[in-house]
Amino acid sequence: MCSLNYIAVSQDDNGLVNRYYKNVLYNPVRQKFDTLLKYKRFENSVNFGDSGGFQIANTDGSDEKRCIVKIGAGIQIKKNLTIIDPIDLCRHYGKLDIRYGFTLDHPFWDITDQKNFSKRLNDSYTWAKLMFTERPRKCPRTKFIIPLHFRTKTQLDTYFKKMSPLKPEGYAI
């Protein structure tokens, strides 16, 4: 028999969800990591980690805000710039005891041409592969879930074939 678990989404650093819900989806890119660490975790909780891919896609083409991926820079949140580091994301997952974490991805909603699809798929693969490499040292208890992004069946097939050699514990659509 399959069981369902309610996973509350943490919307901010000091929200009630962080204190009173057993199973929580955190976003260590968007939220203040040090504040999240202060909360006592429930015994046997199953916490999830969001990668920050939404922040990347949400700032694509924006003149006001930017989000970049820079390996080795650490996760940084500034007024008009967010920096995401896949290695630091693994470290955050480990410190927060994230049981299921999304690998860093470059989502798309409006990309229809093959060149941009391929670029974003390659970005996502590179970042995911790095996270798998760092997992034994930074977040050994985290099981990785790879988000699959596509607009057509052909893109889904391409995306899955590119990511499947990484052998994730799951996929998200």
Side-chain angles (χ1 to χ4, degrees):
M1 180 164 186
C2 180
S3 65
L4 294 175
N5 291 317
Y6 175 74
I7 309 298
V9 177
S10 177
Q11 293 293 321
D12 57 53
D13 307 317
N14 295 308
L16 295 175
V17 165
N18 300 337
R19 287 185 287 232
Y20 299 110
Y21 284 86
K22 182 177 177 181
N23 304 317
V24 178
L25 171 69
Y26 296 103
N27 186 329
V29 170
R30 186 178 50 79
Q31 296 176 280
K32 290 184 178 110
F33 178 67
D34 293 333
T35 303
L36 294 177
L37 278 177
K38 292 178 186 176
Y39 295 109
K40 183 180 177 206
R41 301 289 179 252
F42 288 90
E43 191 173 326
N44 299 320
S45 65
V46 179
N47 294 313
F48 289 70
D50 198 359
S51 69
F54 177 79
Q55 281 73 28
I56 296 169
N58 204 32
T59 59
D60 278 345
S62 173
D63 293 332
E64 298 168 17
K65 286 191 168 195
R66 290 188 35 211
C67 183
I68 61 171
V69 175
K70 190 169 183 178
I71 296 165
I75 294 172
Q76 301 177 41
I77 303 170
K78 300 176 181 183
K79 183 178 179 184
N80 294 325
L81 174 67
T82 299
I83 298 172
I84 303 175
D85 174 2
I87 296 170
D88 202 28
L89 183 60
C90 285
R91 184 181 70 80
H92 281 55
Y93 283 176
K95 297 279 185 187
L96 289 169
D97 195 27
I98 298 298
R99 192 64 44 89
Y100 297 95
F102 289 104
T103 56
L104 183 58
D105 57 309
H106 194 161
F108 60 90
W109 295 285
D110 57 351
I111 299 300
T112 55
D113 63 281
Q114 187 60 37
K115 180 181 174 186
N116 280 313
F117 169 77
S118 295
K119 183 200 178 317
R120 291 181 187 207
L121 171 56
N122 286 330
D123 287 347
S124 298
Y125 176 79
T126 299
W127 303 332
K129 185 175 180 183
L130 181 58
M131 290 179 75
F132 275 92
T133 301
E134 293 295 323
R135 178 168 57 177
R137 290 180 298 283
K138 306 278 192 230
C139 57
R141 290 175 29 102
T142 302
K143 296 178 180 179
F144 284 143
I145 299 169
I146 292 180
L148 299 174
H149 297 286
F150 62 94
R151 291 183 60 121
T152 67
K153 289 179 190 178
T154 301
Q155 286 180 344
L156 173 59
D157 183 60
T158 302
Y159 212 103
F160 179 78
K161 285 178 179 173
K162 177 83 171 182
M163 293 298 196
S164 63
L166 297 174
K167 297 182 173 58
E169 284 78 14
Y171 295 94
I173 295 178

